[in-house]
Amino acid sequence: MKARWADPAYRERARGFHRDERTYRWQHVASGRIVSRTKLEMREEEGVRPDSLDSLVSGRIQTSRGWRLAPRSLLGRAPMWIFP
């Protein structure tokens, strides 16, 4: 493993292992502001802990540091159960 990590090409490729690059819609509870960011951006810009972000996405907790996942009704999608 030490030889692998000494290789710069491997280090660059391994940097993205286990990284969630999906964009989520987050809502600030107090202000109602909705932003679209990845978990990494939320961690860096808003100071939310990584384990809290994982728990928010999985549904184990509802809020962390005043942020939650935006409810589906606020995402701008039409209800799926209405037929034309």
Side-chain angles (χ1 to χ4, degrees):
M1 280 310 279
K2 287 185 179 183
R4 277 189 184 169
W5 283 101
D7 179 24
Y10 178 80
R11 289 185 90 129
E12 184 64 31
R13 190 170 53 90
R15 187 174 294 182
F17 290 172
H18 305 294
R19 181 154 304 168
D20 184 8
E21 295 294 333
R22 287 180 284 191
T23 302
Y24 297 94
R25 305 253 324 196
W26 306 94
Q27 181 183 22
H28 192 260
V29 176
S31 67
R33 180 176 65 136
I34 296 177
V35 295
S36 181
R37 296 192 175 120
T38 63
K39 289 195 277 186
L40 178 64
E41 292 168 342
M42 282 299 288
R43 187 177 75 206
E44 292 173 350
E45 295 173 16
E46 305 298 336
V48 183
R49 292 178 30 187
D51 58 332
S52 296
L53 290 169
D54 292 335
S55 295
L56 283 168
V57 170
S58 69
R60 286 189 298 264
I61 62 173
Q62 297 297 312
T63 62
S64 177
R65 297 187 58 105
W67 289 94
R68 68 178 179 179
L69 283 175
R72 290 228 180 248
S73 62
L74 299 176
L75 296 180
R77 292 185 181 171
M80 302 300 280
W81 50 270
I82 297 177
F83 297 100

